[in-house]
Amino acid sequence: MSRHVLRTAAAGAVVLAVAAVAGCSGGGGGTPSRTGGTGSAPPPLKWGACAAPDAAQGGGPAPPKDWQCATLQVPLDYADPGGETIPLALIRAPARDKQRRLGSLVFNFGGPGGSGISTLPGAAEEYQALRSRYDLVSFDPRGVGASAPVLCQTDRQLDTYYAADNTPETPAEEKEFTDGIRRYHKACEARSGKVLPYVGTENAARDLDRIRQALGDKKLNYFGISYGTELGGVYAHLFPDKVGRAVFDAVVDPTKTSEQSALGQAKGFQLALENFAQDCVDRGDACRLQGATAQEVEDTVLRLQKSLAQKPIPGLGGRMLTDSAATNGIAQALYSQELWPLLEQGIDEAEGGQGQLLMALSDALNGRQRDGRYSNIGAANTAVNCADSKQRFTLEQTKERLAEFRKASPVFGDFLGWALMSCTGWPVKGAWETPDVSAAGSAPILVIGNTGDPATPYEGARRMVERLGPGVGVELTYEGQGHGAYNSGDPCVQKAVDAYLLDGKVPSGGTVCKASSA
């Protein structure tokens, strides 16, 4: 897993990662309040043709010709709304039924740090039913992609950074580990120090309201996935009277600190690995991995980790597959059940000394493109997480917690436990322990939890409903696998979400969709 703490991202995106979920923040710290609006209304957006995503956004082809892009200027510091501004990059796919158009549906696919400019076009096929009556809109949040991006190390330095040992065992290794974090932080401060105090989630929520106004919508219709649910919750707290129809999918638990969330993820990814292993056993000889029980399959993964810690194997482009990179790749594949066949193949090949597939999965998780360039998801993620969470851990405090993490997950515990130090020494103080998402007076928000979600454990959906407050959160359970529910293609989930967003029909609280439902 990456040394930097990557909060959860939308399943299906290739820039996903495993790590502690921190709280949220505003520029300069403090708790969010409903005072201090977003300033005077911005001018209407000037939409034009879209270019191909740049390296910071993750690269890729240009969107289809009927898509449009625009730039919105927002205050760098909302405490000084008339001061310096930064650009927000936006993209939209216009609604197909102009006569029945409902307005805009704004997406945040998670991260934090994921580029909506590059993600929405690639995921748009999953949301075609919603495009019938909505303009599908997404954006690069502040600090991400083309929106005043946070930049830290060079591409070559990042190759070294991600290859480093993330689970030190000796004093010398511990020093190398902490020195690596320090170098990374210094690079971030040197290249992006001006924006680091202002990339927290409260500021991003205020940006959402500026986007709503610039789109000409009286209410914000919103689809938040993973970290996007936390951003949506903070928005609902700040602007409850501006919430339109909103869906939270793959829900971040707003009651947990960064440490508690990291431990929850250790358990979540362990559960996903066990489900993967049991599926392998159930398929018998059709599975390439040896083991008569799920535990024996998991033992294969543990042996591979230990072997790679002693002797890395060839990966891609002259880079070696280390145990850290292999664990990254395994985590990437557990985000979606559709990637389980690649995980099976990758583990099998790595046992035979070939690490290319697991390395490719690890690269996808870290935002590394085939040409060796990195998107800025890692840098943005670290910046948002560290601006958001007050928690900072010393080396000794981290080591004291490792046993509990190892108990939660023999495979992922060490990696997530050591990742607690990702914000140690960060130049900006964190804003809070947990975000306030209470939203009295808001319209109903559909909150979807997936029982097999590795990155945002199922319990978080119930706690989000409780914290939103009476009459706001409406819980729907998906009994499935992977990160998220709507993007699984499950017809029960999609029918419930579409009925709410398109027709305003709120499902009954406690509705359950099973993965096999039709």
Side-chain angles (χ1 to χ4, degrees):
M1 294 176 197
S2 308
R3 180 176 299 165
H4 63 267
V5 180
L6 261 169
R7 206 172 347 198
T8 48
V14 295
V15 283
L16 304 175
V18 178
V21 176
C24 305
S25 92
T31 56
S33 69
R34 304 188 190 207
T35 62
T38 57
S40 59
L45 294 165
K46 296 180 180 179
W47 296 97
C50 296
D54 64 18
Q57 294 170 312
K65 291 183 178 180
D66 61 335
W67 288 58
Q68 301 170 322
C69 288
T71 300
L72 173 66
Q73 294 292 327
V74 298
L76 172 65
D77 181 359
Y78 276 104
D80 182 19
E84 185 175 354
T85 63
I86 57 173
L88 293 185
L90 285 83
I91 189 169
R92 75 174 177 184
R96 299 196 183 281
D97 188 343
K98 301 291 192 291
Q99 300 300 318
R100 302 175 64 232
R101 179 181 174 275
L102 292 170
S104 303
L105 180 62
V106 180
F107 287 79
N108 181 282
F109 292 95
S115 166
I117 302 297
S118 62
T119 303
L120 182 59
E125 188 63 31
E126 300 172 4
Y127 305 102
Q128 284 303 306
L130 300 174
R131 189 181 175 186
S132 64
R133 301 186 66 192
Y134 284 105
D135 296 342
L136 304 186
V137 177
S138 194
F139 63 108
D140 287 353
R142 56 173 58 215
V144 176
S147 300
V150 174
L151 301 173
C152 297
Q153 293 183 325
T154 66
D155 295 331
R156 183 169 295 183
Q157 289 171 328
L158 286 172
D159 277 345
T160 301
Y161 182 69
Y162 290 128
D165 183 2
N166 290 339
T167 57
E169 297 178 348
T170 67
E173 290 175 348
E174 290 171 2
K175 184 178 185 303
E176 183 178 353
F177 175 76
T178 55
D179 285 349
I181 294 175
R182 191 176 300 110
R183 285 192 298 269
Y184 187 84
H185 290 182
K186 286 184 177 179
C188 298
E189 187 173 16
R191 298 183 69 184
S192 303
K194 184 177 72 172
V195 300
L196 295 184
Y198 305 106
V199 297
T201 300
E202 185 187 339
N203 276 338
R206 295 189 185 281
D207 289 343
L208 268 179
D209 204 56
R210 297 284 288 183
I211 291 172
R212 175 194 64 78
Q213 294 175 63
L215 291 169
D217 292 340
K218 293 182 179 180
K219 303 279 187 177
L220 177 72
N221 300 310
Y222 180 75
F223 201 130
I225 303 166
S226 194
Y227 163 76
T229 67
E230 187 171 285
L231 174 60
V234 173
Y235 178 88
H237 171 71
L238 293 172
F239 307 102
D241 61 326
K242 300 301 182 185
V243 176
R245 297 174 185 175
V247 174
F248 294 175
D249 187 4
V251 184
V252 172
D253 189 335
T255 70
K256 290 187 178 297
T257 65
S258 59
E259 178 185 359
Q260 292 166 341
S261 294
L263 188 60
Q265 283 199 328
K267 296 174 182 177
F269 275 93
Q270 183 65 30
L271 174 62
L273 180 65
E274 291 169 358
N275 291 336
F276 160 80
Q278 187 60 54
D279 176 74
C280 180
V281 171
D282 291 344
R283 289 187 291 111
D285 293 341
C287 181
R288 301 168 64 155
L289 305 181
Q290 295 183 351
T293 66
Q295 183 60 57
E296 290 179 1
V297 174
E298 184 183 334
D299 288 343
T300 298
V301 176
L302 288 167
R303 285 195 301 272
L304 177 63
Q305 280 183 314
K306 292 179 181 179
S307 174
L308 292 173
Q310 298 299 317
K311 186 178 180 180
I313 61 176
L316 290 171
R319 293 176 297 137
M320 303 297 285
L321 181 75
T322 63
D323 63 325
S324 295
T327 306
N328 262 346
I330 293 167
Q332 163 71 30
L334 290 175
Y335 269 94
S336 172
Q337 193 169 7
E338 293 180 357
L339 296 179
W340 285 8
L342 292 180
L343 176 56
E344 178 184 324
Q345 179 183 345
I347 294 171
D348 180 57
E349 291 178 355
E351 283 192 292
Q354 298 298 315
Q356 291 85 352
L357 182 50
L358 284 184
M359 179 68 83
L361 287 166
S362 180
D363 285 348
L365 183 146
N366 288 329
R368 190 184 195 273
Q369 296 144 62
R370 291 184 179 181
D371 61 6
R373 296 184 300 172
Y374 284 83
S375 75
N376 91 310
I377 187 172
N381 183 275
T382 300
V384 175
N385 283 338
C386 297
D388 283 358
S389 176
K390 281 185 176 180
Q391 290 196 292
R392 301 289 189 264
F393 296 88
T394 66
L395 178 63
E396 292 306 315
Q397 288 171 336
T398 300
K399 292 166 69 173
E400 289 172 359
R401 288 159 170 79
L402 290 178
E404 187 175 10
F405 276 83
R406 290 168 181 154
K407 181 179 179 181
S409 175
V411 173
F412 301 105
D414 262 324
F415 292 84
L416 284 164
W418 281 107
L420 292 177
M421 292 195 68
S422 294
C423 292
T424 300
W426 187 251
V428 176
K429 292 183 179 180
W432 53 52
E433 297 287 342
T434 60
D436 190 342
V437 298
S438 59
S442 168
I445 297 173
L446 181 56
V447 179
I448 309 171
N450 180 351
T451 58
D453 196 315
T456 50
Y458 169 66
E459 295 78 12
R462 175 64 55 81
R463 296 191 179 110
M464 177 66 81
V465 168
E466 292 171 350
R467 287 300 174 94
L468 286 171
V472 179
V474 179
E475 185 177 8
L476 185 151
T477 294
Y478 171 56
E479 295 182 352
Q481 300 295 330
H483 186 42
Y486 190 91
N487 58 12
S488 72
D490 180 76
C492 173
V493 173
Q494 293 189 339
K495 182 179 179 181
V497 171
D498 292 352
Y500 177 49
L501 290 177
L502 295 173
D503 301 318
K505 297 179 180 177
V506 182
S508 300
T511 297
V512 177
C513 291
K514 299 181 184 294
S516 59
S517 60

